[in-house]
Amino acid sequence: MVEHCKYLGIIIDCDLKWQNRIDYLYNKLIKFVSIFYQIRTKVPRDVLRMIYFAFVHSHLLYGIEVYANATANHLSKLIVLNNKLLRILQYKSIKSHSIDLYITYSTLPIQLVHNYQILIFIHKYVYNKDKLPSVFSNYFEENSLFHCYNTRQKDYFHTYTVLSDLGKKSVKYKGSRLWSALPSDVKDIKSLQTFKCILRKYVLHILGHNVVNTLY
């Protein structure tokens, strides 16, 4: 049996724990620790920020909707490495709060980028479904399809009962729950760019504070 394979640049392991993908990213990004120490005194801070997004964040972002479904234990070394790279570029000590690193660069930690990207996908499904691949045309089902009485949740996506941990990690299940938890004024934003901006602030300040400050 093949233990893992690469598909569209994503390493998929047979048990969907994503350890191989995480190890690949870690080994790819660890080299920047020494590089960033060497260049941070030689280029302006705004250029350092651009370097982070070009050489670190871009790699973390690709496929994050799936690989960040890994357990916290598997993700932890990648999260800690990302925090370390941000601290180097921002001249911060190990005692600094990690949430401040993300606020400074207007970005999110790995586990919250995962949620953010799923919510972006759902926003496109709600407001620009025709621009998504046809396979997603009926990916979600609204509660209104299951009952006709008027409740404030009738426009939410229907969430089926899921017992397995793997099922709870699916985009359909997790996405429905994340979307339902958003405030109505955020969900009602039709402009994708405005939605991204407001959502980033919401995820970081409302959802992320307790998560990020425990990771060093």
Side-chain angles (χ1 to χ4, degrees):
M1 181 179 67
V2 177
E3 293 185 356
H4 63 270
C5 65
K6 181 178 285 189
Y7 181 71
L8 297 177
I10 300 293
I11 301 174
I12 305 172
D13 52 278
C14 61
D15 53 7
L16 295 180
K17 291 184 178 180
W18 305 105
Q19 186 64 60
N20 296 98
R21 174 63 181 175
I22 292 168
D23 289 342
Y24 170 80
L25 285 172
Y26 182 87
N27 292 332
K28 192 176 188 69
L29 298 179
I30 190 67
K31 65 184 180 183
F32 289 111
V33 171
S34 60
I35 294 173
F36 286 175
Y37 271 124
Q38 294 176 42
I39 68 170
R40 69 174 183 172
T41 59
K42 297 179 174 62
V43 296
R45 295 200 176 195
D46 58 335
V47 176
L48 292 177
R49 183 180 185 276
M50 290 189 289
I51 289 173
Y52 169 78
F53 280 98
F55 293 99
V56 178
H57 188 266
S58 60
H59 290 295
L60 294 174
L61 189 63
Y62 186 68
I64 197 169
E65 295 89 344
V66 290
Y67 83 76
N69 265 324
T71 64
N73 184 51
H74 286 154
L75 272 178
S76 61
K77 71 175 186 178
L78 197 57
I79 294 170
V80 172
L81 175 59
N82 191 39
N83 288 347
K84 183 173 184 177
L85 293 172
L86 286 169
R87 283 194 172 92
I88 295 171
L89 294 176
Q90 297 179 28
Y91 294 82
K92 299 294 185 180
S93 72
I94 189 64
K95 295 181 180 180
S96 61
H97 288 303
S98 52
I99 193 172
D100 296 330
L101 304 172
Y102 294 93
I103 292 175
T104 299
Y105 274 13
S106 298
T107 187
L108 299 165
I110 292 170
Q111 66 274 45
L112 296 183
V113 174
H114 170 68
N115 292 346
Y116 174 84
Q117 288 297 116
I118 289 176
L119 286 168
I120 293 299
F121 166 71
I122 297 180
H123 183 275
K124 292 178 180 178
Y125 182 90
V126 172
Y127 294 108
N128 293 285
K129 190 187 301 185
D130 58 318
K131 296 182 179 179
L132 292 174
S134 58
V135 68
F136 295 116
S137 58
N138 295 298
Y139 192 66
F140 296 99
E141 297 174 316
E142 295 181 1
N143 278 336
S144 58
L145 296 176
F146 295 85
H147 58 75
C148 57
Y149 47 87
N150 189 31
T151 68
R152 64 178 184 177
Q153 295 184 344
K154 71 181 181 66
D155 293 326
Y156 290 4
F157 292 120
H158 183 71
T159 303
Y160 292 93
T161 300
V162 175
L163 299 179
S164 69
D165 290 337
L166 186 60
K168 292 177 180 179
K169 292 179 179 180
S170 69
V171 172
K172 180 178 289 189
Y173 179 85
K174 181 181 289 186
S176 297
R177 293 176 66 86
L178 288 171
W179 185 259
S180 297
L182 281 181
S184 296
D185 58 337
V186 178
K187 288 188 288 191
D188 290 342
I189 299 172
K190 295 184 178 180
S191 166
L192 180 58
Q193 292 305 314
T194 303
F195 178 76
K196 286 181 177 180
C197 181
I198 299 300
L199 179 63
R200 185 183 299 110
K201 294 177 181 178
Y202 174 80
V203 172
L204 182 58
H205 294 287
I206 305 300
L207 300 179
H209 190 273
N210 292 332
V211 176
V212 181
N213 274 333
T214 62
L215 296 171
Y216 290 89

